[in-house]
Amino acid sequence: MIEKRILELRKQLHQYNYEYHALDKPTIADTEYDQLLHELVTLENENPEFYDANSPTQKIGGEIAEGFTKVSHRFPMYSLGNAFSLEDLQEFDARVRSQFADVEYIVELKIDGLAMSIDYEDGQFTQAVTRGDGSVGEDVTANLRVINSVPLRLNEDVDVTVRGEVFMPVSSFTHVNESRREMGEALFANCRNAAAGTMRQLDASVVRSRGLDGFWYTLVNARELGISSQSEALAFLKKIGFKVNPEYRQFATIEAVYERVQEIEAMRDVLGYDIDGAVIKVNQFAIQDALGFTIRTPRFAIAYKFKAEEVKSVVEDIFVTVGRTGKITPNAKLLPVQISGSLVSYATLHNEDYITNKDIRVGDTVIVRKAGEIIPEIVSVDVNGRDGTQVPYVFPTQCPVCHEHLVRFEGEADHYCVNVDCPAKIAEALVHFASRDAMNIDTLGERRVYQLHEAGLLKTIPDIYRLHTRIEAMEVLDKMGSKSVEKLLAAIEASKQNSVEKWLFGLGIRHVGAKTSSLIAAHYGSIQNIMKATVEELLTIDEVGTVIAESVTGFFEIDANRHLVEELVDMGLNPEYTQRVTSAKFAGMKFVLTGTLTTMGRSDAKKLIEAQGGDVVGSVSAKTDVVVYGDSAGSKLTKAQELGITTWTEMQFLEEVNA
């Protein structure tokens, strides 16, 4: 009888939670809900053999985690490309309609929170993982469990992976900051920072107390459930218990989409939660699948970013900083102002020409905005506000750290410190190597790097992998107890397994970003092969031009850089590209790509083939298994047909990849 009553109470409370949080239609008074919950808590405490991790009582919290485990996403969490105008949306629409004339769009609010992926098995909540770098996130299951609007038990016994955004409502933000002010703690700058700080808490009861919420908008395995569109997926998510933002709309034209975007921008201040734009997606999943992805973004969706808020401030000072490449960046210290929910005290001034062209002076009244809602910048100067005390800024001729002479190369706008021993360059290079897009070494952030560098424990990149021999020296540093040191060393050791493109990017080769590093690593397969590459060979890689090719070869022509790579390999860093094979579907098969592919670049197609065990070659022969052809295919297609080799159109290729 006791077990029956416990199960009955759980079922009732799950239903009441769904009605209250997902449907916003409570059917029971708060006092009655509290009585039922109290009864369930009492029964579960008296009968621990009936414990269930997904009981409504588990939202009370109290679990304290040791740390956050890294988890690989089964399906990557991509970023979105951005649009800032009707023209940008029309270009996006033209690309889509060049292949699919009959297309519908779904417009959803772009919630300013933390992207999250959650899993359910047989309708039971099992795991929650942060977006992380899109491939690997952190397990925050205990923290998601205590958010009231996250269902622990779905209305149907289905296996689903769902993605959405966890955020802090404005009302919760106000309450949390009031509490922090009373406790003498630093205030959160905005709702997003508050949500991010909360999700990093190891004590789930703290998470519960801060009133986080969530909207859910992506059903990853929708096709398996027979769902064929985003609008159907949203309806299904709501039906099975998820809180879905009600402001989504469906349109047949991009002009109607733009009108809706303008409506959303007008109502952003009265929503009760922060948004920073709108997301436009192709509604039909069949078209989404055919359009596919670039290396970072889906081709079937785009984010419309709202215009940045502009406010007045005063330039209190101008100073320069030194980056990892020695680049000197001037910055303005501003009279603090609120922009888009954040307190802004500094803005980048880019280079000497930027300051000169805008005639920015200390003491000027200026218009400031956040570029792309992230980086503060000065838009213009109010010259009418000058009183004669403002004088033109004189760009320094010496490095502010090592005091060596600065160099401005011919044809470039930036100044550089060329001293290889400059402490600032060394520290910034270490920060970059450990950063998320590079080696993603947890807890080795900017402050920690500078702390270890100043203590003489980090002077070179290999020193990171020698820190396990300096435990006692680290434990005496501020906020570096034994547990912190243990966690840092574990993250460093784990980073050795990263695919080689991560540390290729981390080396800081000029003009070589994260995407280019991936393309080069995928092409050559190992760091040893990359070091042998010539300019001519590198130029055969899509998206690698002369500047990048010469930068890569120039870097590896320097003995010190080659020795650095060899030392890192000796220390156990993985020298191989390990992102290549995810299945054996094309194992042992040789492919040739010819013609113009319209839904992807050649490099994207090559990556898809290699990910499934195949190999891409340059010419057609009797050993070729498949020729994939696009528009304007020429002699290679003809030769394949003459030899009786299998040929696939681009659409057939995508069907085979996704089969």
Side-chain angles (χ1 to χ4, degrees), residues 4-22 25-44 54-60 147-155 241:
K4 183 178 179 181
R5 179 56 179 165
I6 288 174
L7 294 175
E8 180 182 339
L9 286 168
R10 287 173 181 166
K11 183 177 180 180
Q12 287 179 313
L13 291 169
H14 279 309
Q15 180 64 24
Y16 296 144
N17 277 330
Y18 169 62
E19 292 167 348
Y20 184 92
H21 294 288
K25 294 179 180 178
T27 59
I28 186 174
D30 289 349
T31 53
E32 188 176 350
Y33 178 92
D34 291 341
Q35 289 172 353
L36 293 173
L37 182 62
H38 177 72
E39 181 185 353
L40 181 57
V41 169
T42 302
L43 288 175
E44 288 183 343
N54 287 332
S55 168
T57 60
Q58 299 307 301
K59 287 188 177 293
I60 295 173
I147 297 175
N148 282 329
S149 62
V150 175
L152 301 181
R153 181 74 178 85
L154 300 180
N155 297 332

Side-chain angles (χ1 to χ4, degrees), residues 23 42 53 66 89 105 108 135 181 188 210 225 228 276 408 422 426 436 451 490-491 493 587 629:
L23 302 181
T42 302
E66 297 261 331
L89 289 180
Y105 293 113
E108 303 171 46
S135 297
R181 185 181 291 109
F188 287 119
R210 291 185 179 174
L225 299 169
S228 61
D276 58 356
R408 179 172 176 174
C422 178
I426 294 169
R436 174 181 289 183
Q451 181 186 34
E493 187 64 26
Y629 65 94

Side-chain angles (χ1 to χ4, degrees), residues 406-471:
L406 298 180
V407 174
R408 179 172 176 174
F409 297 107
E410 185 177 351
E412 295 196 18
D414 298 314
H415 287 72
Y416 288 87
C417 172
V418 294
N419 175 17
V420 294
D421 295 319
C422 178
K425 290 171 64 175
I426 294 169
E428 285 297 321
L430 292 166
V431 170
H432 173 72
F433 188 83
S435 66
R436 174 181 289 183
D437 286 340
M439 294 302 279
N440 194 22
I441 302 176
D442 191 29
T443 75
L444 191 59
E446 183 175 357
R447 291 183 181 179
R448 184 70 75 213
V449 166
Y450 272 88
Q451 181 186 34
L452 294 171
H453 179 64
E454 290 169 4
L457 301 177
L458 274 187
K459 295 181 180 179
T460 67
I461 288 173
D463 283 345
I464 294 173
Y465 297 95
R466 297 188 187 100
L467 285 176
H468 66 280
T469 67
R470 310 298 301 274
I471 293 176

Side-chain angles (χ1 to χ4, degrees), residues 352-587:
E352 182 182 20
D353 291 348
Y354 184 89
I355 297 173
T356 302
N357 293 337
K358 290 185 179 289
D359 191 19
I360 300 169
R361 308 179 183 185
V362 174
D364 271 340
T365 297
V366 293
I367 303 298
V368 185
R369 71 180 177 196
K370 283 188 180 180
E373 294 289 331
I374 300 173
I375 304 170
E377 67 176 8
I378 291 176
V379 179
S380 60
V381 175
D382 180 8
V383 294
N384 295 323
R386 289 177 175 166
D387 58 12
T389 62
Q390 299 85 358
V391 296
Y393 176 71
V394 178
F395 206 87
T397 58
Q398 291 182 322
C399 173
V401 178
C402 70
H403 308 295
E404 290 291 329
H405 185 71
L406 298 180
V407 174
R408 179 172 176 174
F409 297 107
E410 185 177 351
E412 295 196 18
D414 298 314
H415 287 72
Y416 288 87
C417 172
V418 294
N419 175 17
V420 294
D421 295 319
C422 178
K425 290 171 64 175
I426 294 169
E428 285 297 321
L430 292 166
V431 170
H432 173 72
F433 188 83
S435 66
R436 174 181 289 183
D437 286 340
M439 294 302 279
N440 194 22
I441 302 176
D442 191 29
T443 75
L444 191 59
E446 183 175 357
R447 291 183 181 179
R448 184 70 75 213
V449 166
Y450 272 88
Q451 181 186 34
L452 294 171
H453 179 64
E454 290 169 4
L457 301 177
L458 274 187
K459 295 181 180 179
T460 67
I461 288 173
D463 283 345
I464 294 173
Y465 297 95
R466 297 188 187 100
L467 285 176
H468 66 280
T469 67
R470 310 298 301 274
I471 293 176
E472 292 183 1
M474 286 193 290
E475 288 181 343
V476 299
L477 298 176
D478 184 42
K479 297 182 180 178
M480 280 287 283
S482 59
K483 284 191 175 180
S484 294
V485 171
E486 182 181 345
K487 183 178 180 181
L488 172 60
L489 294 178
I492 290 171
E493 187 64 26
S495 74
K496 292 180 180 180
Q497 304 305 313
N498 286 342
S499 185
V500 70
E501 74 274 8
K502 293 292 186 179
W503 60 280
L504 177 64
F505 174 58
L507 292 174
I509 303 172
R510 200 171 176 204
H511 304 301
V512 179
K515 178 180 178 180
T516 304
S517 297
S518 294
L519 292 171
I520 293 172
H523 183 83
Y524 284 100
S526 72
I527 193 68
Q528 291 87 351
N529 291 337
I530 295 169
M531 288 197 292
K532 298 174 187 175
T534 66
V535 169
E536 292 73 20
E537 291 170 347
L538 285 163
L539 288 174
T540 64
I541 303 173
D542 284 354
E543 300 185 46
V544 173
T546 303
V547 171
I548 293 173
E550 291 179 347
S551 184
V552 172
T553 56
F555 181 87
F556 289 117
E557 284 172 357
I558 299 172
D559 288 341
N561 292 337
R562 296 178 68 86
H563 292 324
L564 168 63
V565 169
E566 291 164 0
E567 187 175 7
L568 291 174
V569 173
D570 289 342
M571 287 179 151
L573 271 69
N574 169 38
E576 305 290 334
Y577 180 69
T578 57
Q579 303 299 320
R580 178 170 293 171
V581 178
T582 58
S583 82
K585 181 182 293 184
F586 297 151

